[in-house]
Every structure is written in C-alpha cells, then in structure tokens.
Amino acid sequence: MRISRFFVALAMSAAVSAPASAQLDVEDQIETRQSAFTFAAWNMGKIKAQVIDGSVAYNEQQILAAANAIASVANSGLGALFGPGTANDKNDNTRLKPVFFDKPEKAREVAIGFAQAATKLQEVAANGGGKGALAAQFSEVGKSCKACHDEFRAD
Ligand code: HEC
C-alpha cells in the first residue's frame, strides 16, 4: 500500500516537472542565454579586479564563489538555449550569427573549451592556487569566451 502510493507520487511528480524541462520558446532561450553570459561576465569581472587589475583587495573566498558561478554557467547545458530560430537572421533581439547552425562541430568545440577552462578555474580556486595560477587560468577562460564570440557572436 505504502509502496504503491510512493509510485503514484513519483509518477505525478514526474508529470508535474516535465514542462519545466521542456524547450523554452525562442524569446526565452535568447533572454536566458544573454542573462547567463551577463552573469558569467559579472563574475569574470570580479576575478579580474582582484587578480589582474588589483583594483579590489584579493579575497580567495570571493574568487572561489565567482569561479563556481562561471563553472556553473559553463556546465549548465547552455546548448539547450541555442535552438532553431534563435539566430539574428530570424530574430532582431539576438547577436547569434546564423553560421552557428552550419558549424555544429565548431560550436561543440568552443562550448567544450569553455566548460573545460571554467572547470579548471574552479579547481584552481578551490585548491587555493594563488594569484599567479588564478591569473593564468582566468586568461584561459577569457580566451574560451573570445573563441566563441569571434566565431558566432555578431559585433
Ligand atoms: C559557446 C559560445 C560562447 C561562449 C563560450 C561565451 N559566449 Fe558570450 N555570447 C555568445 C553569444 C552567441 C552571445 C550573443 C547572445 C545573444 O545575443 O543571443 C554572447 C553574448 C555575451 C554577452 C552579452 C549578453 C547580452 O546581454 O547580450 C556577454 C557580456 C558575454 N557574452 C560574455 C561572455 C563571457 C564573459 C564568456 C566567458 C566567460 C562568454 N561570453 C562565453 C557566445 C558565447
């Protein structure tokens, strides 16, 4: 009795949660990815200020929090926000170039590059890598952002 109720509850919760994992519409995909990149950039800025520019006092805790946030964005399955119809030939609210859909291998490559660089930055921060190691890996993450922008983001 208890077990069957458990399975009913499980089935219902699966049904309820299904729409949340369904594909967002075009406008929501664009807005969500722009927010994700803006949020990543905000966190990149915090690390840059502390590790590269020295304009803000070095704080390992804050750097780890920022690195965690960037890695979360990079590993969140962003690809789901790059669906058909979300490039700037079909929509004026985005800077995604249509060539994105003609180069799936390249898109995969730059996305993986971003995820790997961000995960490594998170590791360096978590292991208290120190300013030099953080600066080096921060620069690698920056390159991974640029690799995608150069290829797929309109000016
Ligand atoms: C896989 C490709 C890719 C990667 C990796 C990537 N970006 Fe972007 N970024 C884009 C695209 C495409 C857009 C344009 C999105 C749109 O307008 O729909 C964009 C837009 C942005 C924007 C503007 C957001 C807005 O509100 O319009 C910022 C800021 C940004 N990216 C920063 C970054 C930073 C910082 C990183 C690395 C930490 C990064 N991006 C990594 C592809 C990427």
Side-chain angles (χ1 to χ4, degrees), residues 12-62:
M12 280 172 59
S13 78
V16 169
S17 65
S21 61
Q23 186 70 307
L24 298 178
D25 71 25
V26 164
E27 293 300 333
D28 285 347
Q29 287 177 56
I30 292 171
E31 270 183 33
T32 305
R33 74 187 179 211
Q34 289 172 343
S35 307
F37 289 132
T38 301
F39 181 66
W42 176 57
N43 284 286
M44 287 289 281
K46 289 188 272 184
I47 298 176
K48 180 171 182 286
Q50 296 192 17
V51 170
I52 310 284
D53 302 340
S55 55
V56 174
Y58 181 68
N59 180 313
E60 278 185 3
Q61 213 64 45
Q62 289 173 6

mmCIF file of all heavy atoms in Angstrom, residues 12-62:
data_model
loop_
_atom_site.group_PDB
_atom_site.id
_atom_site.type_symbol
_atom_site.label_atom_id
_atom_site.label_comp_id
_atom_site.label_asym_id
_atom_site.label_seq_id
_atom_site.Cartn_x
_atom_site.Cartn_y
_atom_site.Cartn_z
ATOM 1 N N MET A 12 3.331 11.209 -10.507
ATOM 2 C CA MET A 12 2.738 12.539 -10.561
ATOM 3 C C MET A 12 3.812 13.615 -10.564
ATOM 4 O O MET A 12 3.713 14.583 -11.300
ATOM 5 C CB MET A 12 1.798 12.753 -9.368
ATOM 6 C CG MET A 12 0.443 12.108 -9.588
ATOM 7 S SD MET A 12 -0.577 12.168 -8.116
ATOM 8 C CE MET A 12 -0.672 13.934 -7.844
ATOM 9 N N SER A 13 4.839 13.421 -9.746
ATOM 10 C CA SER A 13 5.858 14.459 -9.696
ATOM 11 C C SER A 13 6.605 14.523 -11.029
ATOM 12 O O SER A 13 6.987 15.585 -11.477
ATOM 13 C CB SER A 13 6.814 14.235 -8.527
ATOM 14 O OG SER A 13 7.727 13.226 -8.839
ATOM 15 N N ALA A 14 6.752 13.370 -11.684
ATOM 16 C CA ALA A 14 7.404 13.372 -12.992
ATOM 17 C C ALA A 14 6.550 14.147 -13.988
ATOM 18 O O ALA A 14 7.052 14.942 -14.784
ATOM 19 C CB ALA A 14 7.622 11.946 -13.480
ATOM 20 N N ALA A 15 5.233 13.934 -13.918
ATOM 21 C CA ALA A 15 4.334 14.623 -14.840
ATOM 22 C C ALA A 15 4.370 16.129 -14.593
ATOM 23 O O ALA A 15 4.390 16.930 -15.527
ATOM 24 C CB ALA A 15 2.904 14.097 -14.672
ATOM 25 N N VAL A 16 4.411 16.500 -13.322
ATOM 26 C CA VAL A 16 4.401 17.921 -12.986
ATOM 27 C C VAL A 16 5.701 18.596 -13.410
ATOM 28 O O VAL A 16 5.706 19.718 -13.878
ATOM 29 C CB VAL A 16 4.162 18.117 -11.464
ATOM 30 C CG1 VAL A 16 4.424 19.555 -11.051
ATOM 31 C CG2 VAL A 16 2.736 17.722 -11.123
ATOM 32 N N SER A 17 6.813 17.858 -13.254
ATOM 33 C CA SER A 17 8.083 18.511 -13.546
ATOM 34 C C SER A 17 8.417 18.502 -15.041
ATOM 35 O O SER A 17 9.303 19.211 -15.469
ATOM 36 C CB SER A 17 9.214 17.868 -12.752
ATOM 37 O OG SER A 17 9.396 16.537 -13.177
ATOM 38 N N ALA A 18 7.691 17.724 -15.833
ATOM 39 C CA ALA A 18 8.029 17.634 -17.253
ATOM 40 C C ALA A 18 8.043 18.990 -17.972
ATOM 41 O O ALA A 18 9.008 19.284 -18.674
ATOM 42 C CB ALA A 18 7.082 16.666 -17.959
ATOM 43 N N PRO A 19 7.010 19.841 -17.781
ATOM 44 C CA PRO A 19 7.022 21.104 -18.530
ATOM 45 C C PRO A 19 8.242 21.969 -18.213
ATOM 46 O O PRO A 19 8.722 22.699 -19.069
ATOM 47 C CB PRO A 19 5.741 21.800 -18.072
ATOM 48 C CG PRO A 19 4.859 20.693 -17.599
ATOM 49 C CD PRO A 19 5.811 19.695 -17.004
ATOM 50 N N ALA A 20 8.764 21.853 -16.989
ATOM 51 C CA ALA A 20 9.911 22.680 -16.614
ATOM 52 C C ALA A 20 11.147 22.326 -17.437
ATOM 53 O O ALA A 20 11.989 23.168 -17.680
ATOM 54 C CB ALA A 20 10.215 22.522 -15.130
ATOM 55 N N SER A 21 11.244 21.079 -17.861
ATOM 56 C CA SER A 21 12.418 20.689 -18.628
ATOM 57 C C SER A 21 12.175 20.785 -20.136
ATOM 58 O O SER A 21 13.057 20.536 -20.925
ATOM 59 C CB SER A 21 12.835 19.261 -18.262
ATOM 60 O OG SER A 21 11.792 18.379 -18.575
ATOM 61 N N ALA A 22 10.956 21.142 -20.513
ATOM 62 C CA ALA A 22 10.668 21.263 -21.941
ATOM 63 C C ALA A 22 11.413 22.467 -22.517
ATOM 64 O O ALA A 22 11.820 23.368 -21.793
ATOM 65 C CB ALA A 22 9.164 21.435 -22.151
ATOM 66 N N GLN A 23 11.583 22.454 -23.823
ATOM 67 C CA GLN A 23 12.305 23.532 -24.504
ATOM 68 C C GLN A 23 11.615 24.875 -24.297
ATOM 69 O O GLN A 23 10.402 24.987 -24.397
ATOM 70 C CB GLN A 23 12.361 23.181 -26.001
ATOM 71 C CG GLN A 23 13.184 24.120 -26.824
ATOM 72 C CD GLN A 23 14.678 23.986 -26.538
ATOM 73 O OE1 GLN A 23 15.120 24.055 -25.389
ATOM 74 N NE2 GLN A 23 15.465 23.821 -27.562
ATOM 75 N N LEU A 24 12.406 25.899 -23.977
ATOM 76 C CA LEU A 24 11.874 27.252 -23.865
ATOM 77 C C LEU A 24 11.540 27.766 -25.262
ATOM 78 O O LEU A 24 12.125 27.318 -26.239
ATOM 79 C CB LEU A 24 12.926 28.180 -23.243
ATOM 80 C CG LEU A 24 13.408 27.862 -21.826
ATOM 81 C CD1 LEU A 24 14.488 28.856 -21.411
ATOM 82 C CD2 LEU A 24 12.243 27.915 -20.849
ATOM 83 N N ASP A 25 10.634 28.742 -25.330
ATOM 84 C CA ASP A 25 10.376 29.312 -26.658
ATOM 85 C C ASP A 25 11.565 30.190 -27.072
ATOM 86 O O ASP A 25 12.480 30.446 -26.283
ATOM 87 C CB ASP A 25 9.023 30.034 -26.710
ATOM 88 C CG ASP A 25 9.009 31.336 -25.930
ATOM 89 O OD1 ASP A 25 10.076 31.942 -25.730
ATOM 90 O OD2 ASP A 25 7.909 31.756 -25.517
ATOM 91 N N VAL A 26 11.542 30.635 -28.314
ATOM 92 C CA VAL A 26 12.697 31.329 -28.892
ATOM 93 C C VAL A 26 13.107 32.551 -28.062
ATOM 94 O O VAL A 26 14.284 32.721 -27.725
ATOM 95 C CB VAL A 26 12.401 31.719 -30.367
ATOM 96 C CG1 VAL A 26 13.386 32.769 -30.872
ATOM 97 C CG2 VAL A 26 12.445 30.482 -31.255
ATOM 98 N N GLU A 27 12.145 33.388 -27.729
ATOM 99 C CA GLU A 27 12.485 34.608 -26.968
ATOM 100 C C GLU A 27 13.094 34.272 -25.615
ATOM 101 O O GLU A 27 14.040 34.923 -25.174
ATOM 102 C CB GLU A 27 11.240 35.491 -26.767
ATOM 103 C CG GLU A 27 10.685 36.114 -28.038
ATOM 104 C CD GLU A 27 11.691 37.027 -28.767
ATOM 105 O OE1 GLU A 27 12.583 37.599 -28.114
ATOM 106 O OE2 GLU A 27 11.574 37.127 -30.003
ATOM 107 N N ASP A 28 12.541 33.256 -24.965
ATOM 108 C CA ASP A 28 13.049 32.876 -23.638
ATOM 109 C C ASP A 28 14.449 32.257 -23.726
ATOM 110 O O ASP A 28 15.279 32.459 -22.835
ATOM 111 C CB ASP A 28 12.080 31.919 -22.944
ATOM 112 C CG ASP A 28 10.839 32.635 -22.428
ATOM 113 O OD1 ASP A 28 10.857 33.884 -22.384
ATOM 114 O OD2 ASP A 28 9.852 31.962 -22.077
ATOM 115 N N GLN A 29 14.705 31.509 -24.786
ATOM 116 C CA GLN A 29 16.058 30.969 -24.965
ATOM 117 C C GLN A 29 17.063 32.113 -25.098
ATOM 118 O O GLN A 29 18.120 32.103 -24.477
ATOM 119 C CB GLN A 29 16.134 30.104 -26.234
ATOM 120 C CG GLN A 29 15.449 28.764 -26.121
ATOM 121 C CD GLN A 29 15.500 28.012 -27.441
ATOM 122 O OE1 GLN A 29 16.565 27.782 -27.990
ATOM 123 N NE2 GLN A 29 14.348 27.635 -27.955
ATOM 124 N N ILE A 30 16.714 33.091 -25.917
ATOM 125 C CA ILE A 30 17.632 34.222 -26.154
ATOM 126 C C ILE A 30 17.856 35.000 -24.864
ATOM 127 O O ILE A 30 19.003 35.275 -24.485
ATOM 128 C CB ILE A 30 17.074 35.131 -27.281
ATOM 129 C CG1 ILE A 30 17.117 34.377 -28.616
ATOM 130 C CG2 ILE A 30 17.838 36.446 -27.353
ATOM 131 C CD1 ILE A 30 16.395 35.083 -29.763
ATOM 132 N N GLU A 31 16.776 35.324 -24.186
ATOM 133 C CA GLU A 31 16.901 36.104 -22.944
ATOM 134 C C GLU A 31 17.685 35.348 -21.887
ATOM 135 O O GLU A 31 18.507 35.923 -21.165
ATOM 136 C CB GLU A 31 15.504 36.398 -22.359
ATOM 137 C CG GLU A 31 14.902 37.683 -22.861
ATOM 138 C CD GLU A 31 13.563 37.956 -22.201
ATOM 139 O OE1 GLU A 31 13.375 37.595 -21.020
ATOM 140 O OE2 GLU A 31 12.687 38.519 -22.886
ATOM 141 N N THR A 32 17.430 34.054 -21.800
ATOM 142 C CA THR A 32 18.087 33.258 -20.758
ATOM 143 C C THR A 32 19.579 33.133 -21.029
ATOM 144 O O THR A 32 20.403 33.248 -20.124
ATOM 145 C CB THR A 32 17.422 31.873 -20.632
ATOM 146 O OG1 THR A 32 16.025 32.062 -20.418
ATOM 147 C CG2 THR A 32 17.994 31.085 -19.464
ATOM 148 N N ARG A 33 19.947 32.913 -22.285
ATOM 149 C CA ARG A 33 21.392 32.796 -22.566
ATOM 150 C C ARG A 33 22.084 34.145 -22.402
ATOM 151 O O ARG A 33 23.221 34.204 -21.929
ATOM 152 C CB ARG A 33 21.647 32.152 -23.930
ATOM 153 C CG ARG A 33 21.381 33.037 -25.133
ATOM 154 C CD ARG A 33 21.494 32.246 -26.435
ATOM 155 N NE ARG A 33 21.211 33.112 -27.578
ATOM 156 C CZ ARG A 33 20.666 32.695 -28.711
ATOM 157 N NH1 ARG A 33 20.330 31.431 -28.876
ATOM 158 N NH2 ARG A 33 20.458 33.535 -29.708
ATOM 159 N N GLN A 34 21.409 35.231 -22.783
ATOM 160 C CA GLN A 34 22.028 36.552 -22.586
ATOM 161 C C GLN A 34 22.241 36.820 -21.099
ATOM 162 O O GLN A 34 23.283 37.347 -20.699
ATOM 163 C CB GLN A 34 21.152 37.649 -23.219
ATOM 164 C CG GLN A 34 21.187 37.609 -24.756
ATOM 165 C CD GLN A 34 20.196 38.546 -25.418
ATOM 166 O OE1 GLN A 34 19.254 39.025 -24.788
ATOM 167 N NE2 GLN A 34 20.396 38.804 -26.696
ATOM 168 N N SER A 35 21.262 36.441 -20.287
ATOM 169 C CA SER A 35 21.412 36.606 -18.825
ATOM 170 C C SER A 35 22.561 35.759 -18.305
ATOM 171 O O SER A 35 23.339 36.203 -17.454
ATOM 172 C CB SER A 35 20.131 36.179 -18.101
ATOM 173 O OG SER A 35 19.028 36.829 -18.628
ATOM 174 N N ALA A 36 22.652 34.528 -18.816
ATOM 175 C CA ALA A 36 23.721 33.621 -18.366
ATOM 176 C C ALA A 36 25.085 34.217 -18.688
ATOM 177 O O ALA A 36 25.989 34.215 -17.846
ATOM 178 C CB ALA A 36 23.558 32.252 -19.030
ATOM 179 N N PHE A 37 25.253 34.744 -19.893
ATOM 180 C CA PHE A 37 26.542 35.323 -20.276
ATOM 181 C C PHE A 37 26.815 36.601 -19.488
ATOM 182 O O PHE A 37 27.961 36.868 -19.109
ATOM 183 C CB PHE A 37 26.598 35.587 -21.788
ATOM 184 C CG PHE A 37 26.682 34.327 -22.621
ATOM 185 C CD1 PHE A 37 25.854 34.125 -23.714
ATOM 186 C CD2 PHE A 37 27.603 33.335 -22.310
ATOM 187 C CE1 PHE A 37 25.935 32.965 -24.482
ATOM 188 C CE2 PHE A 37 27.697 32.171 -23.074
ATOM 189 C CZ PHE A 37 26.849 31.987 -24.163
ATOM 190 N N THR A 38 25.784 37.399 -19.264
ATOM 191 C CA THR A 38 25.960 38.628 -18.474
ATOM 192 C C THR A 38 26.400 38.269 -17.054
ATOM 193 O O THR A 38 27.292 38.901 -16.485
ATOM 194 C CB THR A 38 24.646 39.434 -18.438
ATOM 195 O OG1 THR A 38 24.272 39.768 -19.773
ATOM 196 C CG2 THR A 38 24.804 40.720 -17.638
ATOM 197 N N PHE A 39 25.786 37.242 -16.509
ATOM 198 C CA PHE A 39 26.118 36.786 -15.150
ATOM 199 C C PHE A 39 27.553 36.241 -15.103
ATOM 200 O O PHE A 39 28.318 36.552 -14.170
ATOM 201 C CB PHE A 39 25.107 35.710 -14.737
ATOM 202 C CG PHE A 39 25.301 35.166 -13.356
ATOM 203 C CD1 PHE A 39 25.123 35.966 -12.237
ATOM 204 C CD2 PHE A 39 25.663 33.837 -13.174
ATOM 205 C CE1 PHE A 39 25.305 35.447 -10.956
ATOM 206 C CE2 PHE A 39 25.842 33.318 -11.899
ATOM 207 C CZ PHE A 39 25.661 34.122 -10.793
ATOM 208 N N ALA A 40 27.938 35.474 -16.136
ATOM 209 C CA ALA A 40 29.313 34.965 -16.200
ATOM 210 C C ALA A 40 30.296 36.135 -16.288
ATOM 211 O O ALA A 40 31.336 36.143 -15.619
ATOM 212 C CB ALA A 40 29.476 34.026 -17.397
ATOM 213 N N ALA A 41 29.943 37.134 -17.102
ATOM 214 C CA ALA A 41 30.832 38.287 -17.289
ATOM 215 C C ALA A 41 30.985 39.074 -15.979
ATOM 216 O O ALA A 41 32.069 39.562 -15.656
ATOM 217 C CB ALA A 41 30.288 39.196 -18.394
ATOM 218 N N TRP A 42 29.909 39.184 -15.230
ATOM 219 C CA TRP A 42 29.969 39.877 -13.937
ATOM 220 C C TRP A 42 30.966 39.167 -13.003
ATOM 221 O O TRP A 42 31.795 39.804 -12.347
ATOM 222 C CB TRP A 42 28.561 39.888 -13.312
ATOM 223 C CG TRP A 42 28.484 40.477 -11.934
ATOM 224 C CD1 TRP A 42 28.863 41.724 -11.543
ATOM 225 C CD2 TRP A 42 27.979 39.826 -10.759
ATOM 226 N NE1 TRP A 42 28.621 41.885 -10.199
ATOM 227 C CE2 TRP A 42 28.095 40.750 -9.703
ATOM 228 C CE3 TRP A 42 27.450 38.552 -10.518
ATOM 229 C CZ2 TRP A 42 27.685 40.430 -8.394
ATOM 230 C CZ3 TRP A 42 27.036 38.246 -9.221
ATOM 231 C CH2 TRP A 42 27.158 39.174 -8.176
ATOM 232 N N ASN A 43 30.913 37.867 -13.026
ATOM 233 C CA ASN A 43 31.819 37.083 -12.173
ATOM 234 C C ASN A 43 33.259 37.115 -12.691
ATOM 235 O O ASN A 43 34.205 37.145 -11.899
ATOM 236 C CB ASN A 43 31.294 35.656 -12.025
ATOM 237 C CG ASN A 43 30.124 35.605 -11.059
ATOM 238 O OD1 ASN A 43 30.311 35.715 -9.859
ATOM 239 N ND2 ASN A 43 28.905 35.521 -11.582
ATOM 240 N N MET A 44 33.417 37.134 -13.998
ATOM 241 C CA MET A 44 34.755 37.294 -14.575
ATOM 242 C C MET A 44 35.346 38.633 -14.135
ATOM 243 O O MET A 44 36.530 38.736 -13.814
ATOM 244 C CB MET A 44 34.693 37.230 -16.110
ATOM 245 C CG MET A 44 34.443 35.848 -16.683
ATOM 246 S SD MET A 44 35.858 34.735 -16.514
ATOM 247 C CE MET A 44 36.907 35.285 -17.880
ATOM 248 N N GLY A 45 34.501 39.649 -14.134
ATOM 249 C CA GLY A 45 34.949 40.993 -13.748
ATOM 250 C C GLY A 45 35.459 41.043 -12.316
ATOM 251 O O GLY A 45 36.443 41.729 -12.009
ATOM 252 N N LYS A 46 34.805 40.288 -11.449
ATOM 253 C CA LYS A 46 35.232 40.265 -10.044
ATOM 254 C C LYS A 46 36.630 39.645 -9.914
ATOM 255 O O LYS A 46 37.481 40.136 -9.171
ATOM 256 C CB LYS A 46 34.221 39.473 -9.201
ATOM 257 C CG LYS A 46 32.899 40.208 -9.026
ATOM 258 C CD LYS A 46 31.990 39.503 -8.042
ATOM 259 C CE LYS A 46 31.139 38.460 -8.720
ATOM 260 N NZ LYS A 46 30.174 37.804 -7.806
ATOM 261 N N ILE A 47 36.854 38.549 -10.652
ATOM 262 C CA ILE A 47 38.163 37.901 -10.584
ATOM 263 C C ILE A 47 39.226 38.806 -11.191
ATOM 264 O O ILE A 47 40.317 38.967 -10.633
ATOM 265 C CB ILE A 47 38.123 36.523 -11.290
ATOM 266 C CG1 ILE A 47 37.128 35.601 -10.571
ATOM 267 C CG2 ILE A 47 39.518 35.895 -11.318
ATOM 268 C CD1 ILE A 47 36.930 34.247 -11.235
ATOM 269 N N LYS A 48 38.883 39.427 -12.311
ATOM 270 C CA LYS A 48 39.839 40.336 -12.981
ATOM 271 C C LYS A 48 40.247 41.464 -12.032
ATOM 272 O O LYS A 48 41.436 41.790 -11.918
ATOM 273 C CB LYS A 48 39.195 40.905 -14.246
ATOM 274 C CG LYS A 48 40.093 41.855 -15.029
ATOM 275 C CD LYS A 48 39.447 42.198 -16.377
ATOM 276 C CE LYS A 48 40.350 43.105 -17.217
ATOM 277 N NZ LYS A 48 40.391 44.487 -16.729
ATOM 278 N N ALA A 49 39.277 42.040 -11.350
ATOM 279 C CA ALA A 49 39.555 43.177 -10.456
ATOM 280 C C ALA A 49 40.529 42.770 -9.346
ATOM 281 O O ALA A 49 41.398 43.548 -8.951
ATOM 282 C CB ALA A 49 38.251 43.706 -9.873
ATOM 283 N N GLN A 50 40.400 41.541 -8.874
ATOM 284 C CA GLN A 50 41.229 41.101 -7.739
ATOM 285 C C GLN A 50 42.577 40.515 -8.163
ATOM 286 O O GLN A 50 43.575 40.680 -7.463
ATOM 287 C CB GLN A 50 40.460 40.056 -6.911
ATOM 288 C CG GLN A 50 39.205 40.640 -6.269
ATOM 289 C CD GLN A 50 38.591 39.711 -5.231
ATOM 290 O OE1 GLN A 50 39.220 38.784 -4.748
ATOM 291 N NE2 GLN A 50 37.348 39.973 -4.878
ATOM 292 N N VAL A 51 42.565 39.814 -9.304
ATOM 293 C CA VAL A 51 43.745 39.029 -9.660
ATOM 294 C C VAL A 51 44.605 39.717 -10.726
ATOM 295 O O VAL A 51 45.823 39.593 -10.706
ATOM 296 C CB VAL A 51 43.294 37.625 -10.142
ATOM 297 C CG1 VAL A 51 44.447 36.859 -10.748
ATOM 298 C CG2 VAL A 51 42.706 36.843 -8.980
ATOM 299 N N ILE A 52 43.965 40.425 -11.640
ATOM 300 C CA ILE A 52 44.700 41.052 -12.745
ATOM 301 C C ILE A 52 44.944 42.540 -12.447
ATOM 302 O O ILE A 52 46.073 43.006 -12.449
ATOM 303 C CB ILE A 52 43.917 40.925 -14.088
ATOM 304 C CG1 ILE A 52 43.471 39.477 -14.338
ATOM 305 C CG2 ILE A 52 44.753 41.491 -15.242
ATOM 306 C CD1 ILE A 52 44.537 38.526 -14.798
ATOM 307 N N ASP A 53 43.870 43.263 -12.188
ATOM 308 C CA ASP A 53 43.987 44.720 -12.030
ATOM 309 C C ASP A 53 44.456 45.120 -10.628
ATOM 310 O O ASP A 53 45.069 46.179 -10.467
ATOM 311 C CB ASP A 53 42.638 45.397 -12.306
ATOM 312 C CG ASP A 53 42.119 45.093 -13.707
ATOM 313 O OD1 ASP A 53 42.937 44.710 -14.568
ATOM 314 O OD2 ASP A 53 40.902 45.229 -13.941
ATOM 315 N N GLY A 54 44.089 44.318 -9.635
ATOM 316 C CA GLY A 54 44.415 44.701 -8.266
ATOM 317 C C GLY A 54 43.623 45.900 -7.771
ATOM 318 O O GLY A 54 43.986 46.542 -6.787
ATOM 319 N N SER A 55 42.502 46.189 -8.429
ATOM 320 C CA SER A 55 41.691 47.343 -8.022
ATOM 321 C C SER A 55 40.794 47.010 -6.837
ATOM 322 O O SER A 55 40.236 47.903 -6.200
ATOM 323 C CB SER A 55 40.843 47.827 -9.204
ATOM 324 O OG SER A 55 40.060 46.763 -9.713
ATOM 325 N N VAL A 56 40.643 45.720 -6.568
ATOM 326 C CA VAL A 56 39.864 45.261 -5.406
ATOM 327 C C VAL A 56 40.756 44.299 -4.617
ATOM 328 O O VAL A 56 41.518 43.519 -5.217
ATOM 329 C CB VAL A 56 38.561 44.547 -5.856
ATOM 330 C CG1 VAL A 56 37.817 43.941 -4.676
ATOM 331 C CG2 VAL A 56 37.657 45.502 -6.631
ATOM 332 N N ALA A 57 40.665 44.355 -3.303
ATOM 333 C CA ALA A 57 41.513 43.513 -2.446
ATOM 334 C C ALA A 57 41.300 42.032 -2.762
ATOM 335 O O ALA A 57 40.166 41.583 -2.955
ATOM 336 C CB ALA A 57 41.210 43.790 -0.979
ATOM 337 N N TYR A 58 42.393 41.302 -2.826
ATOM 338 C CA TYR A 58 42.385 39.864 -3.114
ATOM 339 C C TYR A 58 41.669 39.117 -1.998
ATOM 340 O O TYR A 58 42.002 39.276 -0.825
ATOM 341 C CB TYR A 58 43.838 39.404 -3.222
ATOM 342 C CG TYR A 58 44.043 37.950 -3.541
ATOM 343 C CD1 TYR A 58 43.692 37.426 -4.776
ATOM 344 C CD2 TYR A 58 44.629 37.101 -2.607
ATOM 345 C CE1 TYR A 58 43.913 36.093 -5.078
ATOM 346 C CE2 TYR A 58 44.854 35.762 -2.902
ATOM 347 C CZ TYR A 58 44.489 35.267 -4.135
ATOM 348 O OH TYR A 58 44.719 33.948 -4.425
ATOM 349 N N ASN A 59 40.667 38.323 -2.390
ATOM 350 C CA ASN A 59 39.869 37.590 -1.405
ATOM 351 C C ASN A 59 39.550 36.212 -1.977
ATOM 352 O O ASN A 59 38.723 36.081 -2.887
ATOM 353 C CB ASN A 59 38.588 38.373 -1.095
ATOM 354 C CG ASN A 59 37.698 37.663 -0.082
ATOM 355 O OD1 ASN A 59 37.441 36.466 -0.188
ATOM 356 N ND2 ASN A 59 37.211 38.401 0.894
ATOM 357 N N GLU A 60 40.213 35.197 -1.454
ATOM 358 C CA GLU A 60 40.089 33.844 -2.005
ATOM 359 C C GLU A 60 38.660 33.323 -2.000
ATOM 360 O O GLU A 60 38.241 32.616 -2.913
ATOM 361 C CB GLU A 60 40.976 32.878 -1.215
ATOM 362 C CG GLU A 60 42.409 32.911 -1.671
ATOM 363 C CD GLU A 60 43.269 31.858 -0.968
ATOM 364 O OE1 GLU A 60 42.725 31.063 -0.172
ATOM 365 O OE2 GLU A 60 44.486 31.845 -1.231
ATOM 366 N N GLN A 61 37.928 33.680 -0.954
ATOM 367 C CA GLN A 61 36.533 33.231 -0.821
ATOM 368 C C GLN A 61 35.675 33.791 -1.960
ATOM 369 O O GLN A 61 34.881 33.079 -2.568
ATOM 370 C CB GLN A 61 35.989 33.724 0.532
ATOM 371 C CG GLN A 61 34.976 32.796 1.181
ATOM 372 C CD GLN A 61 35.596 31.460 1.544
ATOM 373 O OE1 GLN A 61 36.694 31.423 2.098
ATOM 374 N NE2 GLN A 61 34.914 30.368 1.193
ATOM 375 N N GLN A 62 35.857 35.069 -2.229
ATOM 376 C CA GLN A 62 35.076 35.720 -3.291
ATOM 377 C C GLN A 62 35.483 35.181 -4.667
ATOM 378 O O GLN A 62 34.642 35.019 -5.553
ATOM 379 C CB GLN A 62 35.277 37.235 -3.250
ATOM 380 C CG GLN A 62 34.602 37.876 -2.035
ATOM 381 C CD GLN A 62 34.937 39.364 -1.904
ATOM 382 O OE1 GLN A 62 35.580 39.952 -2.771
ATOM 383 N NE2 GLN A 62 34.494 39.960 -0.806
#
